[in-house]
Amino acid sequence: MTTDGMLQLHTLRRGAPGRLPLVLLHGFPLDHRMWLDVTDLLAGDPTVLAPDLPGFGTSPTGPDVAEALGADTAVPSVDVMADGVASALRAAGVERAVVAGLSMGGYVAMALVERHPGLVAGLGLVDTKSTADPDEARAKRLQVADTVTAEMRVDAVLGMRTSLLGATNRVTRPDLAERIERWIRDQGPHAVAWAQRAMAARPDRTAVLAGFTGPAVVVVGGEDELAPVPAAQHMADALPDAELVVVPAAGHMTSNESPEPVAAALQGLLRRAGD
Ligand code: MLT
């Protein structure tokens, strides 16, 4: 996991090095593969880094990342995910990047802005929200974490194969649900439980967005039921320099339901950030 004491996360790398990189942070309970539909559409061969967040894909577990960072291994947190990403980026020679995250990846991106402000040259928030969980949602996450740990299977989150999609694509794109289910089945129950507990504990970061003066884009599927349009509007209103892109006929997985406008939004963000 470490080279010369530096943390590594399994990371997809694309494009020519040496330019302002675009760092793509995946949603829950998935891995970097959810970004491939978007990266395939990025013109001009930009530098792209898409890490697997702690525990997902083939990255080290959340507790292992916490240990490498000198953080409390018993406390799952989005901050550990963010510090792990920052450390892995530094290990790869990246000191500054445009950072974009979908949903859980967005929570990590906002934690990066708060904890590693010098790293974030531009911010892309895709189908995510800056508010903390209400009590009921938090309790449900902890219950799911307990269930997947007890069952040692990820069945308790397989329903996300359809709930992540918009109402339109639930009917018209069964291939998408099948693909999402394959990605979910590739993740381990411990990663799912750790991330649920981490997300349950995350704070409201709306004020962090208000202090971010770099360029930002907020992207949301018009049919997103998990981080709906008002949540995106709330973030766009807080950010001093944000564009809002509403993707029609797409739900929470705009990256795969409608990757073209997502790629265009991120490409525009790279330009605004000075790539
Ligand atoms: C995601 O897509 O990452 C999840 O919906 C995040 C969450 O559960 O809040």
Side-chain angles (χ1 to χ4, degrees), residues 25 53 77-86 90 99-101 103-120 123-125 128-130 198-199 201-209 212 235:
L25 303 173
L53 291 168
S77 88
V78 169
D79 293 358
V80 164
M81 297 192 216
D83 292 354
V85 169
R90 265 185 239 111
V99 178
S103 199
M104 178 176 77
Y107 309 155
V108 177
M110 289 181 253
L112 277 168
V113 171
E114 180 177 273
R115 300 170 67 81
H116 304 274
L119 179 68
V120 185
L123 181 64
L125 297 173
T128 190
K129 52 194 168 205
S130 59
M199 290 190 285
R202 77 187 193 284
D204 187 314
R205 285 201 158 101
T206 309
V208 174
L209 299 186
F212 180 71
M235 296 188 295

Side-chain angles (χ1 to χ4, degrees), residues 71 91 126 173 185 205 208 218 264:
V126 184
R173 296 286 311 274
R185 285 191 185 279
R205 285 201 158 101
V208 174
V218 178

Side-chain angles (χ1 to χ4, degrees), residues 27-28 102-104 107 129 141 160 164 196 199 226 252:
F28 170 90
L102 184 140
S103 199
M104 178 176 77
Y107 309 155
K129 52 194 168 205
R141 284 191 196 281
M160 293 180 80
L164 291 178
Q196 279 289 31
M199 290 190 285
L226 304 179
H252 195 60

